[in-house]
């Protein structure tokens, strides 16, 4: 303490800090002790309330178990039949089995819809009279829902239900019990009777057994009837509720506070038990001894005193260290100022802190070194800037050469491409036309670069793309368009490129000559149609011959009959394949006349679903139809639209695993109606989606892959939908499943 001189800054600062800390601790101690009592009392009430909830929950377990266990036989068909036949023998045996599952249930009976007893626990007891508890039975049976209520049961009813110790367990001729009613309904949902079970609380030594293990020794729980305990966790502690608690309970209030139980004062919470009519029939009480309360309060006060003692000691040490640390920089600065007064222009002050004193010391030191460091800093930075400029120039030259080389390579790549490429910018100016495109459209040179799109449109080659380009600028993405130019069939792939601001910077068009492919496809289609037509007649004759042999050939062996049936099935499959080929050939050639009339979408879907009901049942697949009947009319050919829906539904059912669901839904758009078929099977891979609607293409879908098919269903559906002026598409459901959507125009007169 030799550093603490009277009236020094360090002494004054130390005493000020110490005084502030001591006053703060005194105020804190006063208010802490004042609030500890309130806090501990609130903590005890909260703890008792939690334990009260625990007692209620453990008491409810037996009731919930009884309802759950009796609800299963109540829904069983044999029990319904025995009750309707009033088969007392079977019902009594069933009650005995139920009681083996629920041994804690004290009485059990089955009543009919008029509340008359059909059978009860113990077959020798009489039946036919009303059971009792008319209000509870009436409410449960009328609502057709299981119901439980805490009721007072007379000793006569307990004796009637076979409880030999009923009188001993009753209090003033009544016993407290939980009565459970479980309705029994027939197949149509009509009431035919119910199961009545009772769990007598009074005198049940094991009723609070579960709560005893959870509450511990310091918490006492009891269930009382008429103010006297009938079940509890600590016998002899709470025998009778005091008048103060009974007075609050009789008014329908929950009591919490101190009360005298016999000769002991306890902190307690008690709430009434009400029957179905809202009348108090008993009470649940949870209590804690005052010793526990005092122990908790003394524990808090002891911890507070210990914390304050340690805090006071630390406050003294902290005040000393803070005063010393705060005044040390001032002493160093004072020495530096004295050096300047004596002519020493190179003093250095030690900055021992990071606060304002440290900043002041650092500023003092920087003031001395600022001028001599400035020239050195400027010279070094100037040299660094020169070196950076030289490096930057070298990098610019290097990068320029790289960009030129990349531009040359890109130009050579575009020039060597077999596909034609045309690029136009956001102002419809031509940015690029490669040699393949110039050759396709008969352009002499690349002189069109930089000109407007309207210039080449005058030659007629691109005029058909103007509308598609404008739509693509608005919607973004890609588009595939077929055009004819210079006697060739071209397939154009249009895509947009976005700029940094999100707008369309340019449109890239790539063209592929598909003239030869179109010719080959047309020849293939004509060849297949011709061959199919020639094969259909002999196959039909073969089918008739096989049917005749199978129908008349009683002399055939089982092996011969099996071989003939295999021939017949394969002949049928070939005829279906040829019919599909002829259908799609006829549709493509325009030989099918579509009669467009107003159609109701819901009726079309119902017809298609009914047609495939047998397939769905055989595959164990559920078809859900959510199409509403009030949707607008669509313009379509009735039979052809059902053919499309049947094809899509058949595919969804065939490729779905057992237990899966196929959903059909519809929604009205602007001038169209969209019908969706959704399955939750595996999603079709992205690589296979491009060939979904092509002819003779089959997708491997796991279990469904071995079901067979012509690969023409989706192609025929696509042709039919497009002939209606609509379109068909596939949307993957990435969480699992596929959605096929057909869009048909609305009937104009109804739109």
């Amino acid at each position: 303490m030799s550093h603490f001189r009277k009236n020094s800054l360090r002494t004054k600062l130390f005493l000020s800090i110490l005084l502030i800390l001591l006053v703060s601790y005194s105020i804190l101690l006063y208010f802490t002790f004042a609030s500890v009592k309130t806090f501990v009392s609130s903590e005890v009430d909260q703890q008792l309330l939690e334990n009260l909830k625990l007692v209620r929950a453990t008491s409810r377990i037996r009731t919930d178990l009884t309802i759950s266990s009796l609800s299963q036989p109540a829904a069983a068909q044999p029990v319904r039949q025995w009750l309707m036949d009033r088969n007392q023998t079977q019902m009594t045996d069933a009650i005995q089995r139920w009681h083996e599952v629920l041994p804690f249930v004290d009485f059990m009976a089955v009543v009919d819809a008029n509340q008359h007893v059909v059978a009860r626990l113990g077959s020798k007891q009489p039946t036919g009279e009303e059971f009792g508890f008319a209000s509870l039975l009436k409410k449960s049976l009328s609502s057709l829902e299981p119901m439980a209520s805490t009721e007072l049961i007379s000793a006569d009813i307990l004796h009637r239900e076979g409880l030999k110790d009923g009188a001993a367990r009753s209090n003033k001729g009544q016993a407290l019990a939980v009565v459970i009613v479980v309705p029994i309904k027939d197949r149509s949902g009509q009431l035919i009777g119910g199961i009545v079970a009772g769990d007598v609380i009074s005198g049940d030594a094991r009723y609070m057994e579960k709560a005893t293990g959870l509450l511990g020794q310091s918490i006492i729980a009891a269930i009382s009837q008429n103010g006297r305990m009938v079940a509890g966790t600590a016998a002899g502690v709470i025998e009778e509720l005091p008048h103060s608690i009974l007075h609050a309970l009789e008014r329908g209030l929950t009591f919490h506070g101190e009360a005298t139980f016999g000769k002991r004062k306890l902190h307690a919470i008690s709430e009434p038990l009400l029957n179905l009519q809202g009348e108090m029939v008993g009470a649940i009480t949870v209590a804690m001894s005052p010793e526990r309360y005092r122990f908790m309060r003394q524990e808090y006060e002891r911890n507070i005193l210990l914390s304050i003692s340690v805090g006071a000691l630390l406050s003294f040490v902290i005040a000393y260290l803070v005063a010393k640390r705060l005044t040390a920089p001032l002493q160093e600065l004072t020495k530096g100022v004295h050096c300047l007064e004596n002519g020493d222009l190179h003093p250095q002050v030690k900055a021992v802190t990071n606060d304002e004193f440290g900043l002041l010391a650092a500023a003092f030191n920087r003031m001395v070194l600022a001028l001599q460091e400035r020239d050195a800093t400027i010279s070094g930075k100037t040299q660094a800037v020169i070196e950076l400029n030289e490096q930057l120039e070298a990098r610019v030259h290097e990068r320029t050469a790289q960009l030129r080389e990349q531009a040359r390579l890109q130009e050579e790549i575009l020039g060597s491409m077999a596909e034609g490429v045309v690029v136009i910018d956001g102002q419809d100016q031509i940015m690029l036309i490669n040699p393949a495109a110039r050759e396709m459209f008969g352009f002499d040179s690349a002189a069109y670069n930089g000109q407007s799109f309207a210039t080449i449109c005058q030659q007629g080659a691109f005029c058909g793309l103007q509308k598609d380009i404008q739509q693509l600028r608005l919607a973004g993405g890609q588009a595939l368009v077929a055009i004819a130019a210079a006697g060739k069939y071209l397939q154009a792939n249009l895509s947009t490129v976005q700029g940094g601001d999100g707008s369309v910077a340019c449109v890239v068009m790539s063209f592929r000559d598909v003239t030869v492919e179109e010719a080959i496809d047309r020849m293939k289609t004509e060849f297949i149609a011709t061959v199919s037509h020639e094969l259909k007649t002999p196959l039909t004759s073969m089918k008739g011959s096989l049917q005749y042999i199978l129908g008349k050939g009683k002399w055939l062996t089982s092996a011969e009959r099996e071989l003939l049936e295999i021939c017949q099935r394969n002949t049928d499959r070939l005829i279906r394949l040829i019919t599909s080929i002829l259908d799609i050939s006829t549709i493509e050639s325009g030989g099918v006349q579509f009669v467009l009339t107003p159609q109701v979408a819901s009726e079309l879907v119902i017809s298609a679903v009914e047609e495939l009901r047998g397939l769905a049942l055989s595959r164990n697949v559920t078809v859900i139809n959510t199409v509403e009947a009030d949707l607008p009319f669509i313009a379509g050919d009735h039979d052809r639209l059902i053919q499309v829906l049947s094809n899509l539904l058949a595919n969804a059912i065939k490729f779905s695993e057992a237990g899966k669901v196929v959903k059909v839904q519809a929604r009205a758009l602007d001038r169209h109606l969209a019908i969706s078929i959704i399955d939750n099977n595996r999603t079709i891979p992205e690589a296979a989606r491009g060939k979904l609607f092509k002819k003779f293409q089959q997708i491997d879908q796991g279990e469904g892959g071995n079901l067979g098919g012509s690969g023409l269903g989706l192609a025929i559906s696509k042709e039919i939908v497009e002939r209606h002026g609509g379109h068909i598409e596939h949307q993957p459901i990435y969480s699992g499943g596929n959605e096929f959507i057909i869009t048909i125009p609305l009937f104009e007169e109804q739109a």
Side-chain angles (χ1 to χ4, degrees):
M1 303 293 288
S2 60
H3 296 287
F4 286 88
R5 299 188 304 274
K6 187 177 180 181
N7 296 326
S8 67
L9 178 62
R10 178 176 295 184
T11 302
K12 293 177 181 179
L13 187 59
F14 170 72
L15 293 176
S16 299
I17 294 174
L18 187 61
L19 180 61
I20 292 172
L21 291 174
L22 291 177
V23 171
S24 300
Y25 273 113
S26 300
I27 295 173
L28 177 63
L29 183 63
Y30 174 78
F31 285 106
T32 301
F33 274 104
S35 60
V36 135
K37 182 177 180 180
T38 304
F39 172 75
V40 172
S41 178
S42 175
E43 188 74 13
V44 168
D45 287 345
Q46 183 65 28
Q47 187 174 355
L48 289 176
L49 183 60
E50 293 296 330
N51 286 306
L52 181 64
K53 294 179 181 178
L54 180 62
V55 172
R56 287 202 305 263
T58 54
S59 301
R60 184 67 185 176
I61 290 174
R62 289 166 65 154
T63 302
D64 293 340
L65 178 61
T66 304
I67 293 175
S68 175
S69 301
L70 294 180
S71 296
Q72 297 179 7
Q77 180 56 32
V79 174
R80 296 171 178 168
Q81 190 61 45
W82 296 337
L83 178 57
M84 288 188 292
D85 295 342
R86 303 187 71 85
N87 191 331
Q88 182 180 4
T89 302
Q90 293 289 354
M91 292 303 302
T92 302
D93 291 341
I95 292 175
Q96 293 289 345
R97 292 193 300 272
W98 302 341
H99 187 255
E100 291 175 1
V101 178
L102 303 168
F104 55 83
V105 174
D106 295 290
F107 62 85
M108 193 180 303
V110 176
V111 299
D112 58 15
N114 296 321
Q115 306 178 17
H116 292 161
V117 178
V118 177
R120 54 164 53 97
L121 193 62
S123 60
K124 295 181 179 180
Q125 299 165 354
T127 60
E129 76 279 3
E130 291 188 0
F131 185 83
F133 303 106
S135 299
L136 177 61
L137 282 170
K138 182 178 179 181
K139 187 170 183 180
S140 176
L141 298 180
S142 62
S143 64
L144 298 180
E145 294 293 336
M147 191 170 295
S149 176
T150 305
E151 302 286 344
L152 290 176
I153 304 177
S154 65
D156 295 337
I157 294 179
L158 295 178
H159 179 73
R160 185 191 69 190
E161 296 302 322
L163 271 73
K164 297 180 180 179
D165 59 346
R169 295 174 65 175
S170 63
N171 178 14
K172 295 182 180 181
Q174 292 180 319
L176 189 66
V178 178
V179 181
I180 298 103
V181 180
V182 179
I184 302 176
K185 300 173 283 187
D186 60 12
R187 290 182 179 272
S188 63
Q190 297 297 320
L191 177 71
I192 59 175
I195 304 174
V196 185
D199 184 2
V200 180
I201 301 174
S202 300
D204 189 348
R206 301 185 63 185
Y207 190 80
M208 300 290 288
E209 184 178 15
K210 186 75 174 179
T212 303
L214 297 174
L215 296 178
Q217 298 180 352
S218 61
I219 305 298
I220 304 167
I223 297 178
S224 60
Q225 172 194 345
N226 296 326
R228 297 191 60 81
M229 187 185 78
V230 295
T233 61
V237 179
I238 300 178
E239 292 292 343
E240 189 170 353
L241 296 181
H243 178 73
S244 58
I245 295 181
L246 288 174
H247 182 65
L249 295 177
E250 288 171 355
R251 291 185 297 163
L253 303 176
T254 298
F255 174 86
H256 59 85
E258 282 193 359
T260 302
F261 295 83
K263 296 182 179 180
R264 296 186 61 182
K265 274 192 175 182
L266 302 176
H267 283 271
I269 288 183
S270 182
E271 68 174 14
L273 289 174
L274 305 179
N275 62 8
L276 191 65
Q277 287 76 31
E279 301 169 347
M280 190 183 81
V281 296
I284 300 178
T285 305
V286 178
M288 176 189 293
S289 65
E291 289 79 8
R292 174 67 176 171
Y293 170 78
R294 284 193 294 270
F295 174 77
M296 291 175 63
R297 182 175 176 181
Q298 292 171 0
E299 182 97 8
Y300 280 116
E301 291 176 349
R302 185 168 53 253
N303 292 336
I304 291 171
L305 288 173
L306 179 61
S307 300
I308 290 178
S309 300
V310 174
L313 179 61
L314 291 177
S315 298
F316 181 84
V317 176
I318 291 171
Y320 172 77
L321 295 176
V322 168
K324 182 179 179 181
R325 183 175 180 82
L326 289 177
T327 56
L330 290 176
Q331 293 177 349
E332 289 291 330
L333 285 171
T334 303
K335 292 178 182 179
V337 171
H338 286 313
C339 291
L340 290 176
E341 289 178 349
N342 295 329
D344 185 2
L345 300 179
H346 301 284
Q348 292 293 316
V349 178
K350 295 181 180 179
V352 296
T353 61
N354 294 324
D355 53 11
E356 287 78 1
F357 296 116
L359 295 175
L360 182 59
F364 184 85
N365 294 332
R366 287 196 302 271
M367 181 180 65
V368 177
L369 301 174
L371 291 176
Q372 54 184 330
E373 291 179 352
R374 185 173 298 171
D375 288 339
T377 301
I378 292 174
S379 300
K381 296 241 180 231
T382 302
Q383 184 62 32
V385 169
I386 293 173
E387 293 177 357
L388 287 174
N389 284 335
E390 292 176 353
Q391 294 176 5
L392 182 60
E393 289 179 0
R395 292 290 301 274
V396 168
H397 288 303
E398 180 183 353
R399 187 58 181 163
T400 302
Q402 292 177 355
L403 291 174
R404 288 175 180 171
E405 180 64 18
Q406 290 179 0
R408 185 186 64 80
L409 290 175
Q410 289 178 358
E411 186 176 353
E412 290 183 0
I413 291 171
L414 288 173
S416 61
M417 287 178 61
E419 293 186 350
V421 178
V422 178
V423 182
I424 59 175
D425 60 15
Q427 287 73 37
D428 284 343
Q429 300 293 321
I430 300 173
M431 298 174 60
L432 173 67
I433 300 181
N434 74 337
R438 293 198 298 269
E439 182 180 352
M440 287 180 183
F441 297 105
F443 297 153
D444 296 334
S445 64
Y448 288 100
N449 288 347
Q451 298 186 18
S452 65
F453 182 74
T455 303
I456 60 174
C457 182
Q458 293 175 358
Q459 298 188 7
F462 290 95
C463 288
L465 296 177
Q466 279 188 307
K467 183 178 179 181
D468 297 301
I469 292 173
Q470 294 301 325
Q471 293 178 350
L472 200 62
R473 287 186 188 278
L474 298 175
Q478 295 184 344
L480 192 65
V481 183
I483 63 172
K488 302 176 182 177
Y489 291 101
L490 303 179
Q491 189 177 66
N493 189 352
L494 283 64
S495 61
T496 58
V497 178
Q498 290 187 343
D501 58 353
S503 62
V504 177
C506 62
V507 178
V508 180
M509 298 178 285
S510 62
F511 301 91
R512 188 167 66 90
D513 190 349
V514 293
T515 306
V516 177
E517 296 177 9
E518 289 287 336
I520 292 174
D521 189 59
R522 185 171 58 255
M523 293 172 60
K524 180 176 68 175
T525 302
E526 293 174 355
F527 173 75
I528 292 174
T530 302
V531 172
S532 301
H533 184 74
E534 293 296 329
L535 288 175
K536 186 172 184 180
T537 301
L539 284 173
T540 304
S541 300
M542 292 170 61
K543 177 181 178 181
S545 301
L546 290 170
Q547 290 177 340
Y548 179 80
I549 294 173
L550 288 171
K552 297 294 184 178
K554 298 182 180 179
W555 45 270
L556 294 174
T557 64
S558 60
E560 291 170 342
R561 181 172 294 277
E562 181 178 358
L563 291 174
L564 288 172
E565 289 175 350
I566 292 173
C567 291
Q568 185 179 14
R569 286 196 299 269
N570 283 283
T571 302
D572 290 338
R573 182 174 178 273
L574 287 173
I575 291 174
R576 288 196 301 270
L577 175 61
I578 290 172
T579 302
S580 298
I581 294 172
L582 292 176
D583 281 348
I584 194 169
S585 299
T586 306
I587 293 173
E588 287 178 344
S589 63
V592 176
Q593 296 297 324
F594 287 81
V595 180
L596 303 183
T597 57
Q599 301 293 333
V600 180
S602 60
E603 296 179 359
L604 297 174
V605 173
I606 290 173
S607 299
V609 171
E610 289 297 325
E611 183 177 332
L612 296 169
R613 181 182 297 275
L615 177 61
L617 290 174
S618 66
R619 298 281 298 168
N620 191 19
V621 174
T622 303
V623 180
I624 300 177
N625 177 14
T626 63
V627 179
E628 299 177 355
D630 58 351
L631 291 172
F633 287 87
I634 57 176
D637 187 291
H638 180 272
D639 294 336
R640 292 298 179 178
L641 288 179
I642 290 180
Q643 182 180 359
V644 173
L645 293 172
S646 299
N647 281 339
L648 297 177
L649 278 171
N651 286 341
I653 294 171
K654 285 194 300 181
F655 295 118
S656 293
E657 300 176 357
K660 295 289 186 178
V661 175
V662 175
K663 184 185 294 184
V664 186
Q665 60 187 26
R667 64 184 185 278
L669 304 177
D670 185 14
R671 297 182 61 82
H672 294 77
L673 185 72
I675 303 176
S676 302
I677 290 87
I678 304 171
D679 63 69
N680 53 4
N681 195 29
R682 292 188 302 170
T683 304
I684 296 174
E686 185 175 359
R689 295 170 195 163
K691 58 182 181 179
L692 275 175
F693 299 101
K694 294 183 178 180
K695 292 178 287 188
F696 304 106
Q697 298 292 334
Q698 292 181 318
I699 308 300
D700 185 10
Q701 278 289 86
E703 291 186 3
N706 59 1
L707 295 176
S710 63
L712 292 172
L714 290 179
I716 293 174
S717 299
K718 181 175 181 292
E719 290 292 334
I720 293 174
V721 171
E722 289 180 350
R723 286 291 299 275
H724 280 77
H727 65 275
I728 183 171
E729 62 178 329
H730 166 264
Q731 292 289 342
I733 301 175
Y734 293 101
S735 59
N738 304 277
E739 180 178 6
F740 284 88
I741 306 170
I742 61 172
T743 305
I744 305 297
L746 299 179
F747 189 68
E748 291 295 332
E749 294 180 2
Q750 301 290 335

